[in-house]
Amino acid sequence: MTDEAGPWLVVGLGNPGREYAGNRHNVGFLVADLLAARVGGKFGRHKRAMAEVAEGRLGFGGPRLVLAKPLTYMNLSGGPVAGLAQFHKVPPERVIAVHDELDIAYGQVRVKCGGGEGGHNGLRSMSKSLGTKDYVRVRFGIGRPPGRQDPADYVLSDFSAAERKELEFLVDRAADVVESVVTRGVEPTQNLYHGG
């Protein structure tokens, strides 16, 4: 498979800094890290955008991925994403945001193109900066907070011990979903991964 249409921009959404590393809100960073390892890329500071970027190809001669972790904190993720899309000449339909999703049960990964942001400030910032909602989202289910816990506190808390047992497998699955979107497209990926 060739990439005549140019690279894909895969954005892992999260917050920079060690104190946020294990948060549910940072699952996008975990997926981006795994994808970088898979394509043999190393994250480094981008010269034009407030983001860490790694690049590589999926397989020999396969599509080129530009992997990004914005360093502006979640609510301002859109600026670096739009800057990178412009720099690498990536149209919105080849931008994939990987993010935590409250409205999906933990352990499920879903993909969709466009639609609302569901109160996710990282997505809201991306939509505003890109000027469109028509980009791909790989949604990593984290489930709803227990009891009356504030969702804002919940997303900024670490995965539970029980969740961490499955986390590596789920991050691996989310990375598979991203690769499938790039190589197969959104609809075939939905058919393949939305069964369970």
Side-chain angles (χ1 to χ4, degrees):
M1 195 165 201
T2 58
D3 64 345
E4 283 108 21
W8 286 77
L9 175 58
V10 180
V11 182
L13 291 177
N15 287 310
R18 196 171 292 164
E19 69 271 33
Y20 297 106
N23 289 180
R24 292 178 174 90
H25 223 21
N26 269 42
V27 75
F29 277 18
L30 299 178
V31 176
D33 286 341
L34 179 57
L35 284 165
R38 286 185 181 184
V39 301
K42 276 205 176 349
F43 276 102
R45 191 66 187 269
H46 196 270
K47 56 184 180 284
R48 296 258 181 92
M50 279 281 293
E52 285 194 346
V53 174
E55 295 184 46
R57 286 189 183 275
L58 276 183
F60 181 72
R64 190 159 67 92
L65 299 186
V66 177
L67 304 162
K69 297 190 291 186
L71 297 174
T72 49
Y73 293 95
M74 183 67 85
N75 297 1
L76 300 172
S77 300
V81 175
L84 288 168
Q86 195 174 12
F87 182 82
H88 290 281
K89 300 180 173 57
V90 180
E93 63 271 17
R94 291 174 78 88
V95 174
I96 302 173
V98 185
H99 64 92
D100 58 305
E101 177 61 70
L102 285 162
D103 292 325
I104 297 175
Y106 183 74
Q108 296 188 343
V109 180
R110 296 286 181 261
V111 61
K112 72 172 188 173
C113 188
E117 291 98 1
H120 196 290
N121 291 329
L123 294 177
R124 193 174 290 145
S125 177
M126 276 185 63
S127 298
K128 186 177 176 191
S129 295
L130 290 169
T132 181
K133 295 181 180 188
D134 294 332
Y135 52 90
V136 180
R137 298 97 184 274
V138 171
R139 307 155 76 207
F140 190 107
I142 60 168
R144 284 267 158 203
R148 295 187 168 178
Q149 187 179 6
D150 181 356
D153 294 334
Y154 177 70
V155 298
L156 291 174
S157 63
D158 287 356
F159 286 100
S160 70
E163 288 170 335
R164 279 198 300 274
K165 285 183 183 145
E166 278 187 280
L167 187 59
E168 196 176 326
F169 165 76
L170 297 172
V171 168
D172 196 61
R173 184 178 172 92
D176 290 346
V177 169
V178 171
E179 289 190 12
S180 178
V181 169
V182 171
T183 58
R184 293 186 180 97
V186 170
E187 208 172 307
T189 300
Q190 289 171 331
N191 294 337
L192 197 60
Y193 286 96
H194 284 201

